[in-house]
Amino acid sequence: MPLRFFANAHLPRLKLAAAALLTLVAMHLVAQAAAFDPSSANKELDALQPQLENEEIIEVELKRIRERSLEIKSAATACVSELQPKVDELRSERDLLGDISDDVDVEIWESRVEIGLEYARAETALKNCEITASRANRLAEAAETLRKEVSTA
């Protein structure tokens, strides 16, 4: 019964806040996607990776691969830094609305579902950025190790 009272008393504010939050997060994610695209970055890393296997690669090429990998890592790390607070905020919003039960108002249920979907999208974008940063870092380290081997040979 208390939850129903809370829902009826605060539902208009919750709906407005949830809609505004979803709009802001969606706008941010669109802007973020324009700034950094993990898929494109991974395609570029896919193209750089086989170059390390070339037995006749020269130090200058290894340096270029390392620098480009570090640029991708930096962009992916910035993506993580921007998305993490949004993911945390959406998780808090989702948790605040609690689990869905039979006595919860339909509009609260809809808000919870919308926030849950937005949270899932933001979490996926965050994980893609984290994986790309890690992969770029590994490639940069491999290029640097190989560059040191080539320069001492």
Side-chain angles (χ1 to χ4, degrees), residues 1 10 12 14-15 28 32 60 62 69 82 84-85 87-88 96 102 118 126 132 141 144 149:
M1 196 73 154
H10 299 288
L14 279 174
K15 285 176 59 178
H28 176 74
Q32 183 62 37
V60 174
L62 290 167
S69 296
E82 289 182 30
Q84 187 65 59
V87 169
D88 294 342
L96 179 67
D102 293 339
E118 198 61 43
L126 174 65
T132 302
E141 288 174 351
E144 181 61 17
E149 290 175 8

Side-chain angles (χ1 to χ4, degrees), residues 36-50 68 72 76 127-136 138-139:
F36 179 74
D37 179 17
S39 179
S40 296
N42 279 307
K43 285 178 185 174
E44 189 170 353
L45 293 172
D46 287 343
L48 293 173
Q49 180 73 45
R68 184 60 191 136
I72 292 171
K127 293 300 178 196
N128 285 335
C129 291
E130 289 174 337
I131 290 167
T132 302
S134 176
R135 184 169 177 227
R138 285 192 312 273
L139 186 61

Side-chain angles (χ1 to χ4, degrees), residues 26-88:
M27 287 175 21
H28 176 74
L29 290 175
V30 167
Q32 183 62 37
F36 179 74
D37 179 17
S39 179
S40 296
N42 279 307
K43 285 178 185 174
E44 189 170 353
L45 293 172
D46 287 343
L48 293 173
Q49 180 73 45
Q51 294 176 30
L52 294 181
E53 297 166 12
N54 180 357
E55 302 256 342
E56 298 175 9
I57 194 164
I58 59 175
E59 188 175 353
V60 174
E61 282 300 305
L62 290 167
K63 184 177 178 186
R64 182 191 59 77
I65 292 169
R66 179 181 178 273
E67 288 173 355
R68 184 60 191 136
S69 296
L70 289 175
E71 289 171 2
I72 292 171
K73 176 189 172 191
S74 178
T77 301
C79 174
V80 169
S81 295
E82 289 182 30
L83 287 176
Q84 187 65 59
K86 304 300 182 209
V87 169
D88 294 342

Side-chain angles (χ1 to χ4, degrees), residues 64-126:
R64 182 191 59 77
I65 292 169
R66 179 181 178 273
E67 288 173 355
R68 184 60 191 136
S69 296
L70 289 175
E71 289 171 2
I72 292 171
K73 176 189 172 191
S74 178
T77 301
C79 174
V80 169
S81 295
E82 289 182 30
L83 287 176
Q84 187 65 59
K86 304 300 182 209
V87 169
D88 294 342
E89 184 178 333
L90 286 168
R91 183 182 304 120
S92 295
E93 289 284 329
R94 184 194 64 187
D95 293 346
L96 179 67
L97 290 174
D99 291 331
I100 304 302
S101 63
D102 293 339
D103 62 337
V104 172
D105 191 68
V106 171
E107 292 172 350
I108 291 178
W109 180 83
E110 288 173 350
S111 294
R112 175 121 179 16
V113 169
E114 288 176 19
I115 289 173
L117 290 172
E118 198 61 43
Y119 168 75
R121 284 186 207 110
E123 176 103 62
T124 299
L126 174 65

